[in-house]
Amino acid sequence: MHEMARLWHVVKRNKARTAGIAILALFAFFAVFATWIAPHDPWQFGRAFLSPSSTNLLGTNDVGQDIFSELLYGARISLTVGFAAGLLAVTLGTLIGLLAGFRKGFLDNLLMSVTDVFLVIPTLPLAILVSVYLGPSMWNIVMVIGLLGWPATTRVIRSQVLSVRESGYVESARALGAGDFWIMRHHVLPNVLPLVIAKFVLTVAMAMLMEASLSFLGLGDPIDKSWGMMLRYAFLRGGFVGGMWWWYVPPGLAIGLCILGLTLISYSIEERSDPRLKRALDR
Amino acid sequence: MERHRHPVAAIAGKTMRYLIVLFIIMSLNFLLPRLMPGDPIMNILGEEAYYGSAQVLQELKAQHGLDQPLYTQYIRYFGSFFQGDWGYSFLCMRPVLEAVSLHLRWTLALVLPAIFLGALLAAVAGALAAWYRQSKLDVGLSAFFLFCYSMPTYWLAMLLLFIFGFQLGWFPLGKVTGGDASGLAYLLDVGWHMFLPVGLLVVSKAAYDFLVVRNSVVSIYGEDYVLMAQAKGLSQMAVLFKHALRNAMAPLVTVTAIQFGAILSGALMVEIVFSWPGMGTLIFEAIGARDYPVLQGAFFMIAVCMLTANYIADMIYVWLDPRTR
């Protein structure tokens, strides 16, 4: 009972983060266990345009596939693309940021100029252009988003590295003969880690939204069950015009809830790693 | 921190930087169709543009200089680009530059009002939420904007259109105008058609800015000059909107520049739902038809918009920076 009370206290204090994690856990559960919990095979054709009923909880689409099962399977594509692309982008961004922050001078200038260029390139139109040439595939989307999404992380990491490397304790470590690599591992990395995680979470959200947009535009693999693709077919094949809200409301809501969950988590991390902000907000 | 420079030098430096970025984006546009998988001639002219034998293909290649070495092509590319020759769109049956410019106007007609009204809405809502923080108003506004921030904009567009268009019939179901009006009636008709998409974009723009304004106003609460203003006997609202909000101006400009791409992307997707004849609809149709020249032109045009927005934001900084006055 005492343990439960303590847990409840922690949950209450971090309401936002707990809610965020709960939402994502729910969708992760759908993604992992879709095969078992989905009432139908979402690729199985049947009677089209059925309204919601006890056999088809959210009705069926234009070729008679069960929409509820599609929704559960959709979590797989969205979460996989989001996390894979986010991981790629943040890894790249962190490495480049660390490198730039640590090697002042020419390399730093060069890397930062490249970062600035990437920051003002419109991501969605470029992603559209590249995906159109590469052809529809989930992994192409991961690659495109991953390779375009790193600059925001790089900027933040670099400025954090710059402030850490000028600090007193790093200077004393250097005076004691510590090498670049040692300092990076023991002082810089622990300091930038919360930021890296916060940026990762936001990048995953960005990637999920972008995947949905690209799929909606018709650049996803038509065989894959993704939320963006469901929205596309509902929009193009009569679901929207026919007022079948049970077809297009759930996938959009699912995308939005995942992004909401990720945003809540990232806020709470940023708040924790920036005590000034927390103080200001509590005032 | 960057050293302080003379404003003219700062502006010249920025301008130079943006020109370089423009050059890189043009180079990207040149390289992409030539590096990507598939036949470059199709990648450049678009999939449907080419019918015929291998001989026709050779002639087309020669005509477009694709049998020349890469650096010759590169120079030719820049030459024709600046002469306004961006290729031909078989989808729109007109030159790409013309097609893209026509559609750009309608996109800007959505995006520009949305940015100004959205920033205004965020400023008012953010300041009120900060002033009455932890109140029901604050919680309600925060939750509302967090919801709008999270949900995909084009999905919200579908909901709005379904509710206010299909169900209630208050607004038209898409496009720019009903057709047969002119003069003032035409403008009113366009305004009526614009209302839902612009309204949606205003709220989604405000959702990006709301927390920025709120936190920046909260952070100056209790500062000496705010207490001073209150002590002078200024009303709550005068303190809030004259002093507290001024502090939020610079972050608001920053976030507008950073999020401009996101707003523009949101607008492109929303256009598709409302059949609004802007860049988004153009891109949507060009993807379906594999009309690559249009997609390249659209990418370049949107990049120019992004650069312009960032450039303007930089100029505003120079102007806001008290050291340059």
PDB file of all heavy atoms in Angstrom, chain A residues 116 120 132-133 212-213 217 240 248-249 252 256 260 267 280-281 283, chain B residues 17 43 133 150 154-155 158 162 211 214-215 218-219 272 292 296 306:
ATOM      1  N   ASP A 116      23.154  24.917 -41.348  1.00  0.00           N
ATOM      2  CA  ASP A 116      22.285  26.056 -41.655  1.00  0.00           C
ATOM      3  C   ASP A 116      21.561  25.866 -42.973  1.00  0.00           C
ATOM      4  O   ASP A 116      20.383  26.208 -43.098  1.00  0.00           O
ATOM      5  CB  ASP A 116      23.101  27.349 -41.701  1.00  0.00           C
ATOM      6  CG  ASP A 116      23.427  27.837 -40.308  1.00  0.00           C
ATOM      7  OD1 ASP A 116      22.795  27.339 -39.364  1.00  0.00           O
ATOM      8  OD2 ASP A 116      24.317  28.698 -40.169  1.00  0.00           O
ATOM      9  N   VAL A 120      17.138  25.418 -43.580  1.00  0.00           N
ATOM     10  CA  VAL A 120      16.183  26.216 -44.353  1.00  0.00           C
ATOM     11  C   VAL A 120      15.687  25.492 -45.592  1.00  0.00           C
ATOM     12  O   VAL A 120      14.868  26.023 -46.324  1.00  0.00           O
ATOM     13  CB  VAL A 120      16.768  27.587 -44.762  1.00  0.00           C
ATOM     14  CG1 VAL A 120      16.863  28.493 -43.557  1.00  0.00           C
ATOM     15  CG2 VAL A 120      18.095  27.443 -45.443  1.00  0.00           C
ATOM     16  N   VAL A 132       9.591  10.319 -54.610  1.00  0.00           N
ATOM     17  CA  VAL A 132       9.031  10.098 -55.933  1.00  0.00           C
ATOM     18  C   VAL A 132      10.058   9.387 -56.822  1.00  0.00           C
ATOM     19  O   VAL A 132       9.724   8.467 -57.566  1.00  0.00           O
ATOM     20  CB  VAL A 132       8.577  11.438 -56.535  1.00  0.00           C
ATOM     21  CG1 VAL A 132       8.729  11.450 -58.030  1.00  0.00           C
ATOM     22  CG2 VAL A 132       7.130  11.700 -56.194  1.00  0.00           C
ATOM     23  N   TYR A 133      11.312   9.794 -56.693  1.00  0.00           N
ATOM     24  CA  TYR A 133      12.348   9.149 -57.501  1.00  0.00           C
ATOM     25  C   TYR A 133      12.676   7.746 -56.998  1.00  0.00           C
ATOM     26  O   TYR A 133      12.941   6.844 -57.772  1.00  0.00           O
ATOM     27  CB  TYR A 133      13.619   9.996 -57.515  1.00  0.00           C
ATOM     28  CG  TYR A 133      13.532  11.198 -58.413  1.00  0.00           C
ATOM     29  CD1 TYR A 133      13.927  12.450 -57.971  1.00  0.00           C
ATOM     30  CD2 TYR A 133      13.051  11.080 -59.717  1.00  0.00           C
ATOM     31  CE1 TYR A 133      13.847  13.561 -58.793  1.00  0.00           C
ATOM     32  CE2 TYR A 133      12.962  12.191 -60.540  1.00  0.00           C
ATOM     33  CZ  TYR A 133      13.367  13.423 -60.081  1.00  0.00           C
ATOM     34  OH  TYR A 133      13.281  14.504 -60.889  1.00  0.00           O
ATOM     35  N   ALA A 212       3.097   9.922 -42.237  1.00  0.00           N
ATOM     36  CA  ALA A 212       1.665   9.953 -42.530  1.00  0.00           C
ATOM     37  C   ALA A 212       1.380  10.860 -43.721  1.00  0.00           C
ATOM     38  O   ALA A 212       0.595  10.509 -44.609  1.00  0.00           O
ATOM     39  CB  ALA A 212       0.896  10.422 -41.294  1.00  0.00           C
ATOM     40  N   SER A 213       2.062  12.030 -43.761  1.00  0.00           N
ATOM     41  CA  SER A 213       1.838  12.955 -44.875  1.00  0.00           C
ATOM     42  C   SER A 213       2.260  12.319 -46.190  1.00  0.00           C
ATOM     43  O   SER A 213       1.543  12.398 -47.190  1.00  0.00           O
ATOM     44  CB  SER A 213       2.615  14.248 -44.660  1.00  0.00           C
ATOM     45  OG  SER A 213       2.251  14.857 -43.459  1.00  0.00           O
ATOM     46  N   LEU A 217      -0.043  11.380 -49.401  1.00  0.00           N
ATOM     47  CA  LEU A 217       0.209  11.891 -50.743  1.00  0.00           C
ATOM     48  C   LEU A 217       0.396  10.763 -51.759  1.00  0.00           C
ATOM     49  O   LEU A 217       0.507  11.024 -52.946  1.00  0.00           O
ATOM     50  CB  LEU A 217       1.455  12.778 -50.740  1.00  0.00           C
ATOM     51  CG  LEU A 217       1.325  14.101 -50.000  1.00  0.00           C
ATOM     52  CD1 LEU A 217       2.686  14.760 -49.834  1.00  0.00           C
ATOM     53  CD2 LEU A 217       0.395  15.026 -50.759  1.00  0.00           C
ATOM     54  N   PHE A 240     -14.627   9.814 -47.232  1.00  0.00           N
ATOM     55  CA  PHE A 240     -14.787  11.189 -46.761  1.00  0.00           C
ATOM     56  C   PHE A 240     -16.064  11.804 -47.305  1.00  0.00           C
ATOM     57  O   PHE A 240     -16.894  12.320 -46.556  1.00  0.00           O
ATOM     58  CB  PHE A 240     -13.549  11.994 -47.175  1.00  0.00           C
ATOM     59  CG  PHE A 240     -13.613  13.427 -46.766  1.00  0.00           C
ATOM     60  CD1 PHE A 240     -13.846  13.767 -45.444  1.00  0.00           C
ATOM     61  CD2 PHE A 240     -13.443  14.437 -47.692  1.00  0.00           C
ATOM     62  CE1 PHE A 240     -13.910  15.087 -45.042  1.00  0.00           C
ATOM     63  CE2 PHE A 240     -13.506  15.761 -47.305  1.00  0.00           C
ATOM     64  CZ  PHE A 240     -13.744  16.082 -45.975  1.00  0.00           C
ATOM     65  N   TYR A 248     -12.150   7.556 -41.475  1.00  0.00           N
ATOM     66  CA  TYR A 248     -11.014   8.479 -41.452  1.00  0.00           C
ATOM     67  C   TYR A 248     -10.746   9.139 -40.105  1.00  0.00           C
ATOM     68  O   TYR A 248      -9.664   9.670 -39.897  1.00  0.00           O
ATOM     69  CB  TYR A 248     -11.158   9.552 -42.549  1.00  0.00           C
ATOM     70  CG  TYR A 248     -12.324  10.494 -42.376  1.00  0.00           C
ATOM     71  CD1 TYR A 248     -12.202  11.640 -41.590  1.00  0.00           C
ATOM     72  CD2 TYR A 248     -13.533  10.249 -42.995  1.00  0.00           C
ATOM     73  CE1 TYR A 248     -13.269  12.502 -41.433  1.00  0.00           C
ATOM     74  CE2 TYR A 248     -14.605  11.105 -42.842  1.00  0.00           C
ATOM     75  CZ  TYR A 248     -14.469  12.222 -42.061  1.00  0.00           C
ATOM     76  OH  TYR A 248     -15.527  13.068 -41.893  1.00  0.00           O
ATOM     77  N   VAL A 249     -11.689   9.122 -39.179  1.00  0.00           N
ATOM     78  CA  VAL A 249     -11.408   9.739 -37.873  1.00  0.00           C
ATOM     79  C   VAL A 249     -10.392   8.925 -37.061  1.00  0.00           C
ATOM     80  O   VAL A 249      -9.418   9.481 -36.569  1.00  0.00           O
ATOM     81  CB  VAL A 249     -12.710   9.998 -37.082  1.00  0.00           C
ATOM     82  CG1 VAL A 249     -12.393  10.403 -35.645  1.00  0.00           C
ATOM     83  CG2 VAL A 249     -13.535  11.096 -37.743  1.00  0.00           C
ATOM     84  N   GLY A 252      -6.486   9.269 -38.115  1.00  0.00           N
ATOM     85  CA  GLY A 252      -5.956  10.604 -37.830  1.00  0.00           C
ATOM     86  C   GLY A 252      -5.784  10.820 -36.337  1.00  0.00           C
ATOM     87  O   GLY A 252      -4.778  11.370 -35.882  1.00  0.00           O
ATOM     88  N   GLY A 256      -2.402  11.645 -34.211  1.00  0.00           N
ATOM     89  CA  GLY A 256      -2.378  12.785 -33.308  1.00  0.00           C
ATOM     90  C   GLY A 256      -2.071  12.384 -31.874  1.00  0.00           C
ATOM     91  O   GLY A 256      -1.292  13.049 -31.194  1.00  0.00           O
ATOM     92  N   LEU A 260       0.907  13.630 -29.601  1.00  0.00           N
ATOM     93  CA  LEU A 260       0.604  14.237 -28.308  1.00  0.00           C
ATOM     94  C   LEU A 260       1.441  13.571 -27.202  1.00  0.00           C
ATOM     95  O   LEU A 260       2.073  14.250 -26.389  1.00  0.00           O
ATOM     96  CB  LEU A 260      -0.884  14.081 -28.008  1.00  0.00           C
ATOM     97  CG  LEU A 260      -1.376  14.646 -26.686  1.00  0.00           C
ATOM     98  CD1 LEU A 260      -1.279  16.155 -26.695  1.00  0.00           C
ATOM     99  CD2 LEU A 260      -2.809  14.220 -26.399  1.00  0.00           C
ATOM    100  N   TYR A 267       8.305  17.633 -23.402  1.00  0.00           N
ATOM    101  CA  TYR A 267       8.174  18.793 -22.515  1.00  0.00           C
ATOM    102  C   TYR A 267       8.714  18.495 -21.130  1.00  0.00           C
ATOM    103  O   TYR A 267       9.445  19.288 -20.550  1.00  0.00           O
ATOM    104  CB  TYR A 267       6.694  19.198 -22.362  1.00  0.00           C
ATOM    105  CG  TYR A 267       6.151  20.037 -23.489  1.00  0.00           C
ATOM    106  CD1 TYR A 267       4.795  20.116 -23.719  1.00  0.00           C
ATOM    107  CD2 TYR A 267       7.006  20.759 -24.310  1.00  0.00           C
ATOM    108  CE1 TYR A 267       4.279  20.879 -24.755  1.00  0.00           C
ATOM    109  CE2 TYR A 267       6.510  21.518 -25.355  1.00  0.00           C
ATOM    110  CZ  TYR A 267       5.145  21.564 -25.571  1.00  0.00           C
ATOM    111  OH  TYR A 267       4.649  22.307 -26.588  1.00  0.00           O
ATOM    112  N   ALA A 280      10.451  29.350 -13.426  1.00  0.00           N
ATOM    113  CA  ALA A 280       9.649  30.409 -14.027  1.00  0.00           C
ATOM    114  C   ALA A 280       8.198  29.967 -14.148  1.00  0.00           C
ATOM    115  O   ALA A 280       7.276  30.746 -13.909  1.00  0.00           O
ATOM    116  CB  ALA A 280      10.208  30.775 -15.393  1.00  0.00           C
ATOM    117  N   LEU A 281       7.996  28.693 -14.501  1.00  0.00           N
ATOM    118  CA  LEU A 281       6.637  28.218 -14.715  1.00  0.00           C
ATOM    119  C   LEU A 281       5.892  28.024 -13.404  1.00  0.00           C
ATOM    120  O   LEU A 281       4.671  28.097 -13.358  1.00  0.00           O
ATOM    121  CB  LEU A 281       6.659  26.901 -15.498  1.00  0.00           C
ATOM    122  CG  LEU A 281       7.068  27.034 -16.952  1.00  0.00           C
ATOM    123  CD1 LEU A 281       7.201  25.675 -17.582  1.00  0.00           C
ATOM    124  CD2 LEU A 281       6.082  27.880 -17.718  1.00  0.00           C
ATOM    125  N   ARG A 283       6.289  29.939 -10.808  1.00  0.00           N
ATOM    126  CA  ARG A 283       6.131  31.197 -10.120  1.00  0.00           C
ATOM    127  C   ARG A 283       4.696  31.651 -10.080  1.00  0.00           C
ATOM    128  O   ARG A 283       3.976  31.505 -11.056  1.00  0.00           O
ATOM    129  CB  ARG A 283       6.986  32.257 -10.794  1.00  0.00           C
ATOM    130  CG  ARG A 283       7.942  32.836  -9.801  1.00  0.00           C
ATOM    131  CD  ARG A 283       8.631  34.116 -10.177  1.00  0.00           C
ATOM    132  NE  ARG A 283       8.893  34.373 -11.545  1.00  0.00           N
ATOM    133  CZ  ARG A 283      10.089  34.722 -12.025  1.00  0.00           C
ATOM    134  NH1 ARG A 283      11.136  34.734 -11.241  1.00  0.00           N
ATOM    135  NH2 ARG A 283      10.242  35.037 -13.271  1.00  0.00           N
TER     136      ARG A 283
ATOM    137  N   ARG B  17      25.005  34.704 -47.385  1.00  0.00           N
ATOM    138  CA  ARG B  17      24.692  33.354 -46.913  1.00  0.00           C
ATOM    139  C   ARG B  17      23.480  32.785 -47.629  1.00  0.00           C
ATOM    140  O   ARG B  17      23.490  31.640 -48.078  1.00  0.00           O
ATOM    141  CB  ARG B  17      24.369  33.432 -45.423  1.00  0.00           C
ATOM    142  CG  ARG B  17      25.378  32.784 -44.535  1.00  0.00           C
ATOM    143  CD  ARG B  17      24.744  32.673 -43.163  1.00  0.00           C
ATOM    144  NE  ARG B  17      25.049  31.387 -42.596  1.00  0.00           N
ATOM    145  CZ  ARG B  17      26.026  31.203 -41.732  1.00  0.00           C
ATOM    146  NH1 ARG B  17      26.794  32.207 -41.366  1.00  0.00           N
ATOM    147  NH2 ARG B  17      26.249  30.009 -41.221  1.00  0.00           N
ATOM    148  N   ASN B  43      13.519  11.106 -65.612  1.00  0.00           N
ATOM    149  CA  ASN B  43      13.530  11.832 -64.349  1.00  0.00           C
ATOM    150  C   ASN B  43      13.418  13.323 -64.581  1.00  0.00           C
ATOM    151  O   ASN B  43      12.928  14.056 -63.725  1.00  0.00           O
ATOM    152  CB  ASN B  43      14.824  11.538 -63.580  1.00  0.00           C
ATOM    153  CG  ASN B  43      14.779  10.160 -62.946  1.00  0.00           C
ATOM    154  OD1 ASN B  43      13.742   9.520 -62.938  1.00  0.00           O
ATOM    155  ND2 ASN B  43      15.901   9.720 -62.432  1.00  0.00           N
ATOM    156  N   ARG B 133      -2.063  32.458 -14.912  1.00  0.00           N
ATOM    157  CA  ARG B 133      -1.518  31.096 -14.978  1.00  0.00           C
ATOM    158  C   ARG B 133      -2.084  30.237 -13.848  1.00  0.00           C
ATOM    159  O   ARG B 133      -2.472  30.757 -12.806  1.00  0.00           O
ATOM    160  CB  ARG B 133      -0.005  31.117 -14.944  1.00  0.00           C
ATOM    161  CG  ARG B 133       0.615  31.487 -13.628  1.00  0.00           C
ATOM    162  CD  ARG B 133       2.071  31.797 -13.839  1.00  0.00           C
ATOM    163  NE  ARG B 133       2.494  32.869 -12.983  1.00  0.00           N
ATOM    164  CZ  ARG B 133       2.139  34.129 -13.130  1.00  0.00           C
ATOM    165  NH1 ARG B 133       1.349  34.486 -14.129  1.00  0.00           N
ATOM    166  NH2 ARG B 133       2.528  35.046 -12.286  1.00  0.00           N
ATOM    167  N   SER B 150      -0.870  18.765 -31.886  1.00  0.00           N
ATOM    168  CA  SER B 150      -0.582  17.344 -32.060  1.00  0.00           C
ATOM    169  C   SER B 150      -1.296  16.722 -33.246  1.00  0.00           C
ATOM    170  O   SER B 150      -0.759  15.859 -33.917  1.00  0.00           O
ATOM    171  CB  SER B 150      -0.967  16.568 -30.797  1.00  0.00           C
ATOM    172  OG  SER B 150      -0.271  17.061 -29.686  1.00  0.00           O
ATOM    173  N   TYR B 154      -4.187  18.250 -41.792  1.00  0.00           N
ATOM    174  CA  TYR B 154      -5.101  17.898 -42.883  1.00  0.00           C
ATOM    175  C   TYR B 154      -6.233  17.019 -42.371  1.00  0.00           C
ATOM    176  O   TYR B 154      -7.331  17.006 -42.944  1.00  0.00           O
ATOM    177  CB  TYR B 154      -4.358  17.220 -44.037  1.00  0.00           C
ATOM    178  CG  TYR B 154      -3.512  16.041 -43.663  1.00  0.00           C
ATOM    179  CD1 TYR B 154      -3.972  14.747 -43.839  1.00  0.00           C
ATOM    180  CD2 TYR B 154      -2.244  16.209 -43.154  1.00  0.00           C
ATOM    181  CE1 TYR B 154      -3.191  13.657 -43.503  1.00  0.00           C
ATOM    182  CE2 TYR B 154      -1.451  15.133 -42.809  1.00  0.00           C
ATOM    183  CZ  TYR B 154      -1.930  13.866 -42.986  1.00  0.00           C
ATOM    184  OH  TYR B 154      -1.158  12.791 -42.640  1.00  0.00           O
ATOM    185  N   TRP B 155      -5.997  16.318 -41.288  1.00  0.00           N
ATOM    186  CA  TRP B 155      -7.070  15.527 -40.671  1.00  0.00           C
ATOM    187  C   TRP B 155      -8.085  16.463 -40.008  1.00  0.00           C
ATOM    188  O   TRP B 155      -9.304  16.282 -40.146  1.00  0.00           O
ATOM    189  CB  TRP B 155      -6.475  14.552 -39.668  1.00  0.00           C
ATOM    190  CG  TRP B 155      -7.469  13.726 -38.927  1.00  0.00           C
ATOM    191  CD1 TRP B 155      -8.186  12.674 -39.408  1.00  0.00           C
ATOM    192  CD2 TRP B 155      -7.870  13.892 -37.553  1.00  0.00           C
ATOM    193  NE1 TRP B 155      -9.005  12.176 -38.415  1.00  0.00           N
ATOM    194  CE2 TRP B 155      -8.820  12.898 -37.273  1.00  0.00           C
ATOM    195  CE3 TRP B 155      -7.492  14.772 -36.546  1.00  0.00           C
ATOM    196  CZ2 TRP B 155      -9.415  12.761 -36.025  1.00  0.00           C
ATOM    197  CZ3 TRP B 155      -8.087  14.639 -35.298  1.00  0.00           C
ATOM    198  CH2 TRP B 155      -9.035  13.640 -35.051  1.00  0.00           C
ATOM    199  N   MET B 158     -10.221  17.776 -42.616  1.00  0.00           N
ATOM    200  CA  MET B 158     -11.291  16.861 -43.011  1.00  0.00           C
ATOM    201  C   MET B 158     -12.453  16.949 -42.022  1.00  0.00           C
ATOM    202  O   MET B 158     -13.624  16.986 -42.421  1.00  0.00           O
ATOM    203  CB  MET B 158     -10.756  15.422 -43.087  1.00  0.00           C
ATOM    204  CG  MET B 158      -9.875  15.165 -44.305  1.00  0.00           C
ATOM    205  SD  MET B 158      -8.931  13.634 -44.200  1.00  0.00           S
ATOM    206  CE  MET B 158     -10.079  12.453 -44.845  1.00  0.00           C
ATOM    207  N   PHE B 162     -16.126  18.283 -42.890  1.00  0.00           N
ATOM    208  CA  PHE B 162     -17.248  17.358 -42.692  1.00  0.00           C
ATOM    209  C   PHE B 162     -18.343  18.025 -41.859  1.00  0.00           C
ATOM    210  O   PHE B 162     -19.521  17.997 -42.218  1.00  0.00           O
ATOM    211  CB  PHE B 162     -16.758  16.084 -41.996  1.00  0.00           C
ATOM    212  CG  PHE B 162     -17.857  15.116 -41.684  1.00  0.00           C
ATOM    213  CD1 PHE B 162     -18.548  14.477 -42.707  1.00  0.00           C
ATOM    214  CD2 PHE B 162     -18.210  14.837 -40.374  1.00  0.00           C
ATOM    215  CE1 PHE B 162     -19.576  13.587 -42.430  1.00  0.00           C
ATOM    216  CE2 PHE B 162     -19.238  13.950 -40.091  1.00  0.00           C
ATOM    217  CZ  PHE B 162     -19.909  13.326 -41.124  1.00  0.00           C
ATOM    218  N   LEU B 211       2.904  28.465 -26.518  1.00  0.00           N
ATOM    219  CA  LEU B 211       3.746  28.204 -25.345  1.00  0.00           C
ATOM    220  C   LEU B 211       4.929  29.162 -25.284  1.00  0.00           C
ATOM    221  O   LEU B 211       5.360  29.556 -24.206  1.00  0.00           O
ATOM    222  CB  LEU B 211       4.255  26.771 -25.366  1.00  0.00           C
ATOM    223  CG  LEU B 211       3.467  25.747 -24.564  1.00  0.00           C
ATOM    224  CD1 LEU B 211       4.256  24.458 -24.469  1.00  0.00           C
ATOM    225  CD2 LEU B 211       3.139  26.276 -23.178  1.00  0.00           C
ATOM    226  N   ARG B 214       3.605  32.370 -23.908  1.00  0.00           N
ATOM    227  CA  ARG B 214       3.213  32.181 -22.519  1.00  0.00           C
ATOM    228  C   ARG B 214       4.447  32.133 -21.617  1.00  0.00           C
ATOM    229  O   ARG B 214       4.528  32.856 -20.630  1.00  0.00           O
ATOM    230  CB  ARG B 214       2.407  30.886 -22.375  1.00  0.00           C
ATOM    231  CG  ARG B 214       1.927  30.619 -20.963  1.00  0.00           C
ATOM    232  CD  ARG B 214       1.311  29.245 -20.839  1.00  0.00           C
ATOM    233  NE  ARG B 214       0.928  28.960 -19.461  1.00  0.00           N
ATOM    234  CZ  ARG B 214       1.776  28.510 -18.548  1.00  0.00           C
ATOM    235  NH1 ARG B 214       3.038  28.295 -18.866  1.00  0.00           N
ATOM    236  NH2 ARG B 214       1.368  28.293 -17.314  1.00  0.00           N
ATOM    237  N   ASN B 215       5.432  31.298 -21.993  1.00  0.00           N
ATOM    238  CA  ASN B 215       6.603  31.148 -21.136  1.00  0.00           C
ATOM    239  C   ASN B 215       7.413  32.437 -21.066  1.00  0.00           C
ATOM    240  O   ASN B 215       7.985  32.755 -20.025  1.00  0.00           O
ATOM    241  CB  ASN B 215       7.475  29.997 -21.627  1.00  0.00           C
ATOM    242  CG  ASN B 215       6.796  28.661 -21.410  1.00  0.00           C
ATOM    243  OD1 ASN B 215       5.742  28.603 -20.760  1.00  0.00           O
ATOM    244  ND2 ASN B 215       7.358  27.604 -21.954  1.00  0.00           N
ATOM    245  N   VAL B 218       5.558  34.725 -18.728  1.00  0.00           N
ATOM    246  CA  VAL B 218       5.679  34.241 -17.350  1.00  0.00           C
ATOM    247  C   VAL B 218       7.043  34.609 -16.781  1.00  0.00           C
ATOM    248  O   VAL B 218       7.167  35.018 -15.628  1.00  0.00           O
ATOM    249  CB  VAL B 218       5.478  32.701 -17.306  1.00  0.00           C
ATOM    250  CG1 VAL B 218       5.973  32.138 -15.987  1.00  0.00           C
ATOM    251  CG2 VAL B 218       4.018  32.355 -17.508  1.00  0.00           C
ATOM    252  N   SER B 219       8.084  34.499 -17.630  1.00  0.00           N
ATOM    253  CA  SER B 219       9.434  34.670 -17.108  1.00  0.00           C
ATOM    254  C   SER B 219       9.714  36.113 -16.670  1.00  0.00           C
ATOM    255  O   SER B 219      10.630  36.350 -15.900  1.00  0.00           O
ATOM    256  CB  SER B 219      10.459  34.232 -18.154  1.00  0.00           C
ATOM    257  OG  SER B 219      10.459  35.148 -19.213  1.00  0.00           O
ATOM    258  N   ILE B 272      -5.102  20.226 -50.200  1.00  0.00           N
ATOM    259  CA  ILE B 272      -5.579  19.028 -50.887  1.00  0.00           C
ATOM    260  C   ILE B 272      -6.994  18.702 -50.432  1.00  0.00           C
ATOM    261  O   ILE B 272      -7.864  18.399 -51.244  1.00  0.00           O
ATOM    262  CB  ILE B 272      -4.621  17.848 -50.615  1.00  0.00           C
ATOM    263  CG1 ILE B 272      -3.240  18.182 -51.175  1.00  0.00           C
ATOM    264  CG2 ILE B 272      -5.159  16.563 -51.206  1.00  0.00           C
ATOM    265  CD1 ILE B 272      -2.160  17.227 -50.728  1.00  0.00           C
ATOM    266  N   TYR B 292       7.624  15.096 -62.918  1.00  0.00           N
ATOM    267  CA  TYR B 292       8.789  15.504 -62.118  1.00  0.00           C
ATOM    268  C   TYR B 292       9.156  16.978 -62.263  1.00  0.00           C
ATOM    269  O   TYR B 292       9.549  17.602 -61.272  1.00  0.00           O
ATOM    270  CB  TYR B 292       9.995  14.627 -62.451  1.00  0.00           C
ATOM    271  CG  TYR B 292       9.757  13.158 -62.215  1.00  0.00           C
ATOM    272  CD1 TYR B 292      10.123  12.213 -63.139  1.00  0.00           C
ATOM    273  CD2 TYR B 292       9.145  12.726 -61.041  1.00  0.00           C
ATOM    274  CE1 TYR B 292       9.895  10.862 -62.928  1.00  0.00           C
ATOM    275  CE2 TYR B 292       8.908  11.381 -60.820  1.00  0.00           C
ATOM    276  CZ  TYR B 292       9.282  10.446 -61.768  1.00  0.00           C
ATOM    277  OH  TYR B 292       9.054   9.127 -61.553  1.00  0.00           O
ATOM    278  N   GLN B 296       9.936  19.467 -59.086  1.00  0.00           N
ATOM    279  CA  GLN B 296      11.188  20.199 -58.893  1.00  0.00           C
ATOM    280  C   GLN B 296      10.938  21.692 -58.779  1.00  0.00           C
ATOM    281  O   GLN B 296      11.494  22.360 -57.893  1.00  0.00           O
ATOM    282  CB  GLN B 296      12.104  19.952 -60.087  1.00  0.00           C
ATOM    283  CG  GLN B 296      12.628  18.547 -60.135  1.00  0.00           C
ATOM    284  CD  GLN B 296      13.956  18.508 -60.843  1.00  0.00           C
ATOM    285  OE1 GLN B 296      14.315  19.408 -61.580  1.00  0.00           O
ATOM    286  NE2 GLN B 296      14.693  17.459 -60.605  1.00  0.00           N
ATOM    287  N   MET B 306      10.791  29.840 -48.120  1.00  0.00           N
ATOM    288  CA  MET B 306      11.409  29.609 -46.808  1.00  0.00           C
ATOM    289  C   MET B 306      12.571  30.559 -46.587  1.00  0.00           C
ATOM    290  O   MET B 306      12.729  31.141 -45.513  1.00  0.00           O
ATOM    291  CB  MET B 306      11.943  28.173 -46.717  1.00  0.00           C
ATOM    292  CG  MET B 306      10.908  27.116 -46.665  1.00  0.00           C
ATOM    293  SD  MET B 306      10.602  26.519 -45.019  1.00  0.00           S
ATOM    294  CE  MET B 306      12.188  26.064 -44.382  1.00  0.00           C
TER     295      MET B 306
END
